[in-house]
Amino acid sequence: MRPRHTLDDARRAREFEAYVAGAGGRLLHTATLLTAEPRGDNPRARRLLTLALARTYASWDRLHGEDPYDHTRQYLATRFARGAWHQNGGLLRSRSRPAGPLAGLTPQERLVLVIRLYEGVDGEQTAALLGLPVERVRTVFNRAMANVLRPAPRPAPPVGGVEAVPS
């Protein structure tokens, strides 16, 4: 009886290792975008991904034909949202100073933008994944896009040889 169980465990471990080898880089990038950390220094993203992969591995045998990537992505998103929500007393704002390309966005805006654009999930599926109304997802997405596409403020040009004082 024991050898069969060991063979199943070994098969499961090989399958999961192959999955992580194929999807791990993209999932880490997704987690890094969510946490808005720099690529080389992303401990929160790595912890978030580790938790999501552990959850996926724990339910590996119960996936029964479901896409493990979708399962992991869903856990990444919900864990990130829950962590950002509880960490800040019910407000979806980050206390740490994000430094990535999405640093100017709130955690909720980053979450919706990453799921919609980087992961390619449509609005209805994003709303279902996050437990939000479709209109709310659309509003957050539009606000996030406006913030990302807004040009960075430039200092005022010197007038009469006098430079503007930074505020």
Side-chain angles (χ1 to χ4, degrees):
M1 185 78 105
R2 187 74 178 146
R4 179 182 169 138
H5 187 64
T6 303
L7 290 175
D8 286 343
D9 288 347
R11 177 198 47 82
R12 177 183 184 198
R14 279 192 314 274
E15 288 175 357
F16 186 74
E17 286 172 10
Y19 162 67
V20 172
R26 183 172 174 92
L27 287 166
L28 178 59
H29 189 66
T30 298
T32 302
L33 288 172
L34 288 174
T35 60
E37 294 174 303
R39 259 191 186 176
D41 184 25
N42 54 2
R44 287 179 53 224
R46 289 178 183 278
R47 178 165 167 69
L48 184 63
L49 178 58
T50 300
L51 292 169
L53 288 173
R55 176 75 175 252
T56 301
Y57 185 72
S59 59
W60 191 258
D61 292 331
R62 292 186 306 268
L63 290 176
H64 300 297
E66 288 180 48
D67 185 4
Y69 187 87
D70 285 341
H71 186 269
T72 308
R73 178 181 55 208
Q74 179 177 357
Y75 189 75
L76 266 177
T78 55
R79 181 70 187 206
F80 173 76
R82 194 172 345 121
W85 181 267
H86 289 296
Q87 182 179 30
N88 300 300
L91 298 175
L92 209 50
R93 289 184 169 65
S94 180
R95 278 188 247 212
S96 64
R97 290 307 251 175
L102 305 179
L105 302 178
T106 67
Q108 186 178 55
E109 291 170 341
R110 280 196 312 268
L111 179 60
V112 169
L113 196 68
V114 168
I115 290 173
R116 292 285 320 276
L117 290 182
Y118 184 70
E119 290 294 324
V121 178
D122 71 19
E124 288 80 22
Q125 289 176 325
T126 300
L129 174 72
L130 302 177
L132 295 172
V134 176
E135 191 55 43
R136 175 69 180 152
V137 168
R138 192 173 298 128
T139 301
V140 171
F141 178 76
N142 290 336
R143 186 177 59 228
M145 285 300 297
N147 287 336
V148 167
L149 296 175
R150 182 181 323 136
R154 296 183 189 184
V159 178
V162 178
E163 290 189 30
V165 178
S167 53

